[in-house]
Amino acid sequence: MYPSKFDYHRPSSVQEAVQILSGNPDAKVLAGGHSLIPVMKLRLAAPAALVDIGRIGALQGISRSNGSLRIGACVTYHEIANSADVQAAAPALAEAAGQIGDRQVRYRGTIGGNLSHADPASDLPAAALALGATLHVTGPGGSRSVSASDFFVDLMMTALQPDEILTGVEVPVAQAGTGSAYAKWEHPASGYALCGAAAVVTRGAGGSCTGASLCFNGVSSTAVAATEVAAGLVGSDLSDAAIDSAVGNLSIPDATGDMFASAGYRQELAKVMGARALRTARDRA
Amino acid sequence: MGISIELEVNGASVSKEVEPRLLLAHLLREELGLTGTKIGCDTSQCGSCTILLDGQAVKSCTVLAVQADGSEITTIEGLANGEYHPVQQAFWDNHGLQCGFCTPGMIISCVDLLGTNPQPSEDEIRHGLEGNLCRCTGYHNIVRAVQDAAETMNG
Ligand SMILES: Cc1cc2nc3c(=O)[nH]c(=O)nc-3n(C[C@H](O)[C@H](O)[C@H](O)COP(=O)(O)OP(=O)(O)OC[C@H]3O[C@@H](n4cnc5c(N)ncnc54)[C@H](O)[C@@H]3O)c2cc1C
Ligand code: FES
Ligand code: FES
């Protein structure tokens, strides 16, 4: 299968890439290509031009400074899953990246592509949301920062404008007493998440919970935060019983049902996966 | 509108003028005659098109030839060096194939797997090969072949 014809651009800077995008309304960014190329081969997308950002130096690399980790948009899942910095500072993100697709997909797919594509069953949106990531975006008018909670708008829709590029993701480094984890229940054939849960838990000096966050992929049209569960955990002793009781209150009103799993099934699965992610996060806190 | 690309395929330099939409799998099979790389599903699922791109196993049906510009590529044809690569020999010895269609991609993925994890457990082998589907063997002999190759390569 061939994609339909397109022009190919390989800019060497973000500025150049943004310029090409703003001059070509039918152009699309190409990163790892592992969502875009399959849909172009099926002719479900036929952009007039591709802007290949894969070789832009500013979009590569993982660096740590001032209590945060900066991950370039074109960093692959393989690099993230195997980065000692990410494993230490944001284990939920390393775990989520390491469970995406298969080893071939993990060598090509990028964090920027995953978050920009915003497939409801993608693994990284919930992790970015739970960890309180900040997304850096550049467009023709300059650069701006968007919090993960404002980035995911709806089904495969983000806060990105067509002529904007996601340049990097900033994740706070876990402080002492904070742990995070990602637990995924995957569809046995596609490997995508029927439900993926990302949890972050902080324990105070006395051992009780001073902060929590629990977010899900795969259960509704976009990554969602279970704020009522997080609120129920704060002040608790984070025992298994406390986690089970907080998760028992989970309600995802717009849970989606499809040919693979009903909305009710996903809702129940989210309780199980949520509790697993919270327990692992607690053990790391 | 052709784009000039240069790559190294199995140790030989290649310069080509290609259409941007040409897939790497088609460059290898149709332009370079390297038909060892198979196209099975053509939808990024089966792994039969797996090749090494700068040493990493990737599905060549999901990479544009222009994205591979400047890279080094190894296909199944490039693995043997006078004698079979230990993974190829182990597939032979352990009957790790039946029809053989998945085999070139499977062997390339195994080479990558053993490169990153020289002594994988059975579970790590099965998990490590989840991007390669085999309709014939039921995978048992493939796992044995990988274990055997690991022993040879570590010995
Ligand atoms: C077999 C297979 C299994 C998979 N399994 C999983 C899975 O289990 N979990 C999972 O999460 N994903 C899975 N995926 C999808 C994969 O993770 C993709 O890599 C990802 O969805 C897109 O990232 P990419 O870098 O490949 O982006 P591309 O495919 O290049 O781009 C995707 C979209 O994002 C846009 N885009 C890309 N980068 C940027 C940027 N920096 N700024 C602005 N826009 C941008 C593109 O224009 C395009 O619209 C799978 C894919 C395959 C082929
Ligand atoms: S042909 Fe490329 S993955 Fe099946
Ligand atoms: S040997 Fe026939 S598909 Fe694997």
Side-chain angles (χ1 to χ4, degrees):
Chain A
M1 292 185 291
Y2 281 85
S4 52
K5 289 192 181 203
F6 55 84
D7 292 333
Y8 176 75
H9 303 273
R10 193 194 291 150
S12 51
S13 70
V14 172
Q15 281 63 31
E16 200 190 326
V18 165
Q19 239 167 36
I20 302 170
L21 282 175
S22 51
N24 292 274
D26 289 332
K28 263 202 159 296
V29 169
L30 173 68
H34 269 50
S35 289
L36 187 54
I37 295 175
V39 297
M40 287 175 64
K41 287 171 69 179
L42 294 168
R43 307 279 173 122
L44 296 171
L50 288 187
V51 182
D52 183 352
I53 58 170
R55 309 232 177 154
I56 299 177
L59 303 180
Q60 318 292 335
I62 300 174
S63 56
R64 193 175 162 158
S65 64
N66 294 335
S68 71
L69 205 60
R70 190 197 176 278
I71 305 174
C74 286
V75 173
T76 63
Y77 312 140
H78 170 78
E79 294 172 84
I80 293 171
N82 291 290
S83 154
D85 272 337
V86 183
Q87 287 166 0
L93 186 62
E95 243 162 25
Q99 291 181 61
I100 293 178
D102 49 55
R103 62 193 301 109
Q104 292 100 312
V105 171
R106 291 191 292 273
Y107 279 130
R108 297 297 294 172
T110 68
I111 184 171
N114 197 288
L115 298 176
S116 306
H117 192 57
D119 187 302
S122 281
D123 289 296
L124 300 187
L129 201 56
L131 290 162
T134 303
L135 282 66
H136 298 293
V137 169
T138 299
S143 297
R144 64 190 178 105
S145 300
V146 186
S147 70
S149 53
D150 292 330
F151 188 77
F152 304 107
V153 176
D154 204 343
L155 186 81
M156 307 186 102
M157 244 177 79
T158 68
L160 281 174
Q161 297 300 311
D163 54 2
E164 282 184 323
I165 291 178
L166 175 59
T167 56
V169 180
E170 206 172 312
V171 183
V173 171
Q175 300 303 305
T178 296
S180 72
Y182 184 74
K184 174 179 183 177
W185 189 267
E186 57 182 54
H187 182 274
S190 75
Y192 274 93
L194 274 186
C195 171
V200 181
V201 163
T202 305
R203 306 187 93 140
S208 67
C209 178
T210 54
S213 170
L214 179 65
C215 301
F216 294 100
N217 301 304
V219 290
S220 53
S221 60
T222 175
V224 284
T227 44
E228 71 285 6
V229 175
L233 277 173
V234 173
S236 80
D237 62 358
L238 286 171
S239 60
D240 285 355
I243 288 175
D244 289 341
S245 132
V247 165
N249 294 328
L250 175 70
S251 140
I252 303 170
D254 51 356
T256 34
D258 57 21
M259 63 193 285
F260 303 129
S262 66
Y265 178 84
R266 279 193 163 86
Q267 170 94 275
E268 290 308 307
L269 189 57
K271 291 181 184 167
V272 176
M273 300 315 290
R276 282 186 196 171
L278 283 167
R279 281 191 196 111
T280 310
R282 170 203 62 198
D283 294 344
R284 288 175 180 161
Chain B
M1 200 209 53
I3 295 205
S4 305
I5 58 169
E6 284 184 31
L7 22 146
E8 203 179 295
V9 181
N10 299 332
S13 336
V14 171
S15 304
K16 279 268 167 196
E17 180 95 352
V18 300
E19 246 194 298
R21 63 174 171 165
L22 182 71
L23 298 165
L24 183 55
H26 291 140
L27 172 76
L28 295 170
R29 288 178 52 84
E30 286 157 25
E31 311 252 335
L32 305 179
L34 295 169
T35 52
T37 300
K38 305 298 178 216
I39 297 178
C41 65
D42 212 358
T43 56
S44 322
Q45 306 291 324
C46 75
S48 65
C49 62
T50 303
I51 52 106
L52 295 178
L53 177 67
D54 290 330
Q56 300 182 325
V58 305
K59 295 174 180 174
S60 62
C61 75
T62 315
V63 177
L64 300 171
V66 287
Q67 287 179 291
D69 187 14
S71 305
E72 276 179 31
I73 288 170
T74 305
T75 68
I76 189 72
E77 290 91 341
L79 275 190
N81 182 8
E83 53 191 54
Y84 283 138
H85 185 283
V87 176
Q88 288 175 305
Q89 188 62 50
F91 268 68
W92 179 297
D93 293 342
N94 293 277
H95 196 45
L97 59 139
Q98 289 177 27
C99 79
F101 194 86
C102 69
T103 314
M106 197 65 89
I107 287 179
I108 294 281
S109 284
C110 293
V111 169
D112 180 273
L113 171 66
L114 293 174
T116 53
N117 182 357
Q119 276 170 316
S121 64
E122 176 177 346
D123 199 47
E124 286 169 336
I125 295 171
R126 291 185 184 274
H127 199 59
L129 295 178
E130 65 199 343
N132 292 78
L133 304 182
C134 175
R135 302 301 301 267
C136 303
T137 62
Y139 301 99
H140 292 302
N141 286 351
I142 292 177
V143 174
R144 283 185 195 123
V146 181
Q147 288 166 328
D148 187 17
E151 254 176 58
T152 314
M153 290 165 77
N154 293 325

